[in-house]
Structure formats: structure tokens, C-alpha cells
């Protein structure tokens, strides 16, 4: 998936580190609060070069700038 994904830690729960990308970025699995499913990706605060804020102040990650794929795992 390419594009920006909400990745603010305050929007997530049950965050668990599951590995590292080839460039050393931590990879996590987590649940979004009030969203069905479990997801794999990064935490925006750990990839500032790929992060920006939306109009509400939540961090988003541009996954085209990191070597981690965002995906739903459950």
C-alpha cells in the first residue's frame, strides 16, 4: 500500500513489536481503537522523515518513504 496511513500511537492499543525492517525500523502489530482488525506497520513518532500531522493533529505515515509495508494481519 502506498500513501498516508493514520499512525499516531494515541489511536492504537495492544501495540507489540514484531521485528525490524532491513533499514532498522521497528515493525509493530497493533489494534486501532474503534476499528476492527489487527494491523502491522510502524509508529509515526519513530519515523519523523515519513510523518506528518492531519488537520486534527494526528500523526500519519507516508509508507512510500519507509521500507515497511502496512497491512491488515487479522
Amino acid at each position: 500500500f502506498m500513501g498516508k496511513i493514520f499512525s499516531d500511537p494515541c489511536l492504537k492499543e495492544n501495540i507489540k513489536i514484531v521485528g525490524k525492517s532491513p533499514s532498522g525500523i521497528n515493525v509493530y502489530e497493533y489494534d486501532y481503537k474503534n476499528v476492527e482488525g489487527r494491523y502491522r506497520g510502524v509508529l509515526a513518532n519513530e519515523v519523523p522523515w515519513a510523518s506528518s500531522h492531519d488537520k486534527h493533529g494526528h500523526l500519519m505515515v507516508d509508507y512510500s518513504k519507509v521500507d515497511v509495508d502496512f497491512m491488515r494481519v487479522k
Side-chain angles (χ1 to χ4, degrees):
F1 180 87
M2 296 296 193
K4 292 184 180 179
I5 302 290
F6 283 104
S7 195
D8 199 306
C10 75
L11 301 175
K12 299 173 180 178
E13 56 192 1
N14 303 319
I15 300 169
K16 180 182 176 190
I17 190 166
V18 295
K20 284 195 180 284
S21 75
S23 71
I25 299 169
N26 290 328
V27 179
Y28 296 89
E29 286 187 2
Y30 45 82
D31 303 318
Y32 281 105
K33 296 175 183 176
N34 303 313
V35 176
E36 191 176 322
R38 188 149 178 88
Y39 296 84
R40 183 176 295 149
V42 301
L43 297 183
N45 54 308
E46 294 186 356
V47 290
W49 65 91
S51 298
S52 60
H53 289 88
D54 75 350
K55 64 182 180 181
H56 302 292
H58 292 116
L59 282 168
M60 302 181 76
V61 168
D62 181 345
Y63 273 85
S64 71
K65 296 180 179 178
V66 295
D67 64 341
V68 176
D69 291 328
F70 174 79
M71 66 181 68
R72 182 172 174 168
V73 293
K74 279 190 192 176

